[in-house]
Amino acid sequence: MGLPALEFSDCCLDSPHFRETLKSHEAELDKTNKFIKELIKDGKSLISALKNLSSAKRKFADSLNEFKFQCIGDAETDDEMCIARSLQEFATVLRNLEDERIRMIENASEVLITPLEKFRKEQIGAAKEAKKKYDKETEKYCGILEKHLNLSSKKKESQLQEADSQVDLVRQHFYEVSLEYVFKVQEVQERKMFEFVEPLLAFLQGLFTFYHHGYELAKDFGDFKTQLTISIQNTRNRFEGTRSEVESLMKKMKENPLEHKTVSPYTMEGYLYVQEKRHFGTSWVKHYCTYQRDSKQITMVPFDQKSGGKGGEDESVTLKSCTRRKTDSIEKRFCFDVEAVDRPGVITMQALSEEDRRLWMEAMDGREPVYNSNKDSQSEGTAQLDSIGFSIIRKCIHAVETRGINEQGLYRIVGVNSRVQKLLSVLMDPKTASETETDICAEWEIKTITSALKTYLRMLPGPLMMYQFQRSFIKAAKLENQESRVSEIHSLVHRLPEKNRQMLQLLMNHLAKNGLAASVSVFVHVLTFCRLWWDVLDYRLERETRMRV
């Protein structure tokens, strides 16, 4: 069975399967390198033996030439003259044959030894240097990534952003080195098909040329030699023809790595750090995780690129729920909690970045944590799309439209958090929820009311436009034809649950009726893909005249 193929797209994921494939190619190159070294050693011994054989034959020819037949009598017959001259003719034939052999031996080093040594040093040697660089960059990248992920979330935002930028640069450099190493390994594997075999063919052809018996063997070898020559030429032509294309593809993937990701059978896959309890505390273990939405199956493989091997047994669990971890509840950044059907407790995982966490949560239909100011009674004040939830939103909207629509920075200026939480506690109290939907006292500031509205929407178990429709909405939004785009988005919106659609209708009518075009951007992080709903309603508001600052 041949070597598994190396794909440039696997460099981005850097999966265990990719590392195992790379190892098999490295082992093949090491085996080839050792074989070429032995072959060069044996080739030199053969050339030395041929030189000794040639020297012995020349000495034999000289001995024949020096011997003179002495015939009896004063006159020699033609037969005698021929016999006497035969030794010199033998010597001449042998000498001429060995003159050609000497030229063949002198060329043997250039034909056989030099190309093999050149291929081993320049090509396999370059691949080994590339491996050293790749291993060094792997260790550097993993070290910096671990150090970066250990940064406290309590550091200044500017420091965290600078650290994120530095990690992105190191990640991009590691990705480029990975692509170059894969490219070099593939290049050497292809080159050996002709740069390794062709010198041997040339050397054998030389032997066949200078020996009569070799000539006879060459005739028998002719069909295979022709076939081999054609194969070598075809391999060379293919290599020269595709090398530029492969190099061009590598450059494109360096420039836009996300556009060339391989199609994965999993909904999401990648590296995550999993919190594991120990006897004297906890530790974070790196795993390569895969998730399949249809079966809700999460597979965790403990694996670290630096060690190049698995750190334990694989584990598979069935997803029950996924919740983003509150920033102030843990020292680590980018964390989220997973509950499994077939495993007790909560599994805390750390993503590689904020974007990576968002992708994992979207794949797992994750939800935001519930921000509840009532610490003593967790059963009260949970945000839901029920009658209480609609009542709260209608009350907030009515208050904004009746006495705050002209306030500066509407939906942009935030209220004091303690007052926002207090207002939410009042609104979410079942005792007051049955009051009229316009009943929010004037003592509450508009910025407190708008912040309470946004906070309540964040507290919902999931975004109104739902994670599971994310990719469909993005695909629809990219349609160039306006009619097709609106039609597709309209169809997707009507696939949402009834309560989600009603809440979206309520909010968008409020924004559109009061010309709050700028406020749509305020809700983007709350209502996933809110701008798509705006296209469906086809409100064509002019920002310059109707935006509220």
Side-chain angles (χ1 to χ4, degrees), residues 74-87:
D74 297 330
E76 295 179 350
T77 64
D78 293 339
D79 292 336
E80 291 173 343
M81 293 175 59
C82 181
I83 292 172
R85 195 173 65 248
S86 65
L87 296 182

Side-chain angles (χ1 to χ4, degrees), residues 115-235:
L116 292 179
E117 288 181 336
K118 182 179 179 181
F119 175 76
R120 189 180 69 85
K121 292 178 180 178
E122 294 184 2
Q123 298 301 325
I124 299 181
K128 288 186 175 182
E129 290 298 321
K131 173 176 169 53
K132 291 179 182 178
K133 182 179 179 181
Y134 177 68
D135 292 341
K136 182 178 179 182
E137 288 301 324
T138 298
E139 184 174 358
K140 178 181 176 182
Y141 166 64
C142 292
I144 291 177
L145 182 60
E146 290 179 358
K147 182 178 179 181
H148 174 67
L149 293 175
N150 286 326
L151 285 176
S152 174
S153 60
K154 296 181 180 180
K155 288 186 174 291
K156 293 181 179 180
E157 185 63 25
S158 59
Q159 293 177 329
L160 293 176
Q161 290 178 356
E162 182 179 359
D164 291 344
S165 300
Q166 291 177 350
V167 170
D168 288 340
L169 290 175
V170 173
R171 184 184 294 111
Q172 177 64 23
H173 181 64
F174 170 69
Y175 180 57
E176 293 176 359
V177 171
S178 178
L179 286 171
E180 292 171 353
Y181 179 46
V182 170
F183 174 77
K184 189 59 186 176
V185 169
Q186 290 178 327
E187 181 184 28
V188 175
Q189 294 285 25
E190 292 294 330
R191 281 184 177 274
K192 75 178 185 181
M193 300 297 292
F194 52 88
E195 291 194 3
F196 175 37
V197 179
E198 195 171 35
L200 295 172
L201 178 62
F203 177 72
L204 287 177
Q205 182 61 32
L207 289 176
F208 296 148
T209 302
F210 300 117
Y211 289 95
H212 179 74
H213 181 63
Y215 175 74
E216 294 295 331
L217 291 177
K219 289 194 298 184
D220 298 335
F221 184 74
D223 293 340
F224 175 73
K225 182 197 72 173
T226 302
Q227 181 181 354
L228 182 59
T229 303
I230 294 173
S231 299
I232 290 174
Q233 188 60 43
N234 290 339
T235 303

Side-chain angles (χ1 to χ4, degrees), residues 371-382:
Y371 294 87
N372 187 0
S373 60
N374 189 350
K375 305 297 183 181
D376 299 327
S377 180
Q378 294 297 329
S379 62
E380 298 181 4
T382 56

Side-chain angles (χ1 to χ4, degrees), residues 82-98:
C82 181
I83 292 172
R85 195 173 65 248
S86 65
L87 296 182
Q88 285 71 37
E89 290 296 329
F90 293 159
T92 301
V93 169
L94 287 175
R95 193 180 293 113
N96 291 337
L97 182 59
E98 293 311 309

Side-chain angles (χ1 to χ4, degrees), residues 411-462:
Y411 287 114
R412 180 173 59 84
I413 299 176
V414 298
V416 178
N417 185 60
S418 60
R419 288 185 59 77
V420 172
Q421 296 296 333
K422 185 176 181 181
L423 175 58
L424 281 174
S425 297
V426 172
L427 294 175
M428 297 170 70
D429 189 345
K431 296 178 181 179
T432 62
S434 60
E435 298 180 7
T436 60
E437 294 187 349
T438 61
D439 188 19
I440 292 183
C441 298
E443 65 177 276
W444 299 102
E445 298 173 319
I446 291 300
K447 64 181 181 181
T448 302
I449 296 174
T450 57
S451 296
L453 187 152
K454 291 185 292 184
T455 302
Y456 187 85
L457 292 172
R458 291 192 194 98
M459 291 165 59
L460 293 172

